[in-house]
Amino acid sequence: MLDIAILLEDGWPGIDWEELAERAVTAAIAHSPYAAFVNSAATYEIAVKLTSDEEVHQLNRAYRDKDKPTNVLSFPMVQRDLLEGTANTDDGEVLLGDIVLAEGVCAREAQGKGISIADHAAHLIVHGTFHLLGYDHMVDAEAEAMEALEIRALANLGLPDPYGDRETGD
């Protein structure tokens, strides 16, 4: 079972962020090798914080040594090689990690892409969820694999491919 907690700061538009985050996280996990987490007896917890550019800037500087805000940060709590064994927890709960989005960066990027902030945030939450599951995009092969999973999850949400026209294979 998934438990998605939303922490909503001022500045974000008034939409149902809880429902959006739950749909985005569920779609990402369902399109990963960890799809069983969705209906597991164990509870898999993810916190999604929608905050300011300033807070994300501080986090990006502190944890990534990058002195600027970014659209999304992910803070995994379980190493990828340990994810398979997480259903056997002592208390039945697994904290997968935190996803943090910057309102201003997200809004500017959405406007630049000609899409709603909700659709862009859904993509960023999907992206962040894959990071919590151990995916990365530091090398081309990993980036392509992660993007292909994102494209499938977003299609499940009725959202277009954010990376352009590309064959993703099945």
Side-chain angles (χ1 to χ4, degrees):
M1 168 173 77
L2 300 178
D3 182 14
I4 316 305
I6 293 292
L7 298 103
L8 181 61
E9 306 263 326
D10 291 336
W12 287 83
I15 65 172
D16 189 346
W17 290 106
E18 288 185 22
E19 192 266 339
L20 184 145
E22 186 157 325
R23 288 183 64 233
V25 167
T26 301
I29 292 176
H31 287 84
S32 79
Y34 307 102
F37 290 1
V38 174
N39 297 311
S40 173
T43 300
Y44 291 88
E45 301 175 25
I46 293 177
V48 177
K49 184 169 190 180
L50 305 170
T51 191
S52 67
D53 287 7
E54 293 78 23
E55 183 172 352
V56 172
H57 185 164
Q58 291 172 358
L59 292 168
N60 205 22
R61 183 174 45 233
Y63 291 98
R64 297 180 66 226
D65 211 16
K66 296 190 182 212
D67 195 16
K68 63 180 182 176
T70 189
N71 53 13
V72 62
L73 292 171
S74 300
F75 297 96
M77 301 301 258
V78 180
Q79 291 175 223
R80 185 175 187 171
D81 61 337
L82 300 176
L83 282 169
E84 286 295 330
T86 56
N88 300 321
T89 67
D90 291 338
D91 61 2
E93 296 180 2
V94 179
L95 179 58
L96 289 178
D98 301 331
I99 301 168
V100 184
L101 276 66
E103 186 275 329
V105 175
C106 187
R108 286 188 298 278
E109 288 178 351
Q111 183 177 26
K113 295 173 182 283
I115 61 175
S116 72
I117 192 170
D119 287 354
H120 190 48
H123 172 220
L124 296 175
I125 293 168
V126 165
H127 183 88
T129 301
F130 281 115
H131 277 307
L132 297 184
L133 298 175
Y135 288 88
D136 210 338
H137 43 80
M138 298 303 285
V139 296
D140 287 346
E142 290 177 356
E144 289 175 16
M146 184 173 170
E147 289 171 6
L149 291 170
E150 288 178 44
I151 291 165
R152 288 187 198 113
L154 291 169
N156 183 255
L157 296 172
L159 299 174
D161 175 355
Y163 300 109
D165 295 331
R166 167 183 319 162
E167 298 263 339
T168 58
D170 282 338

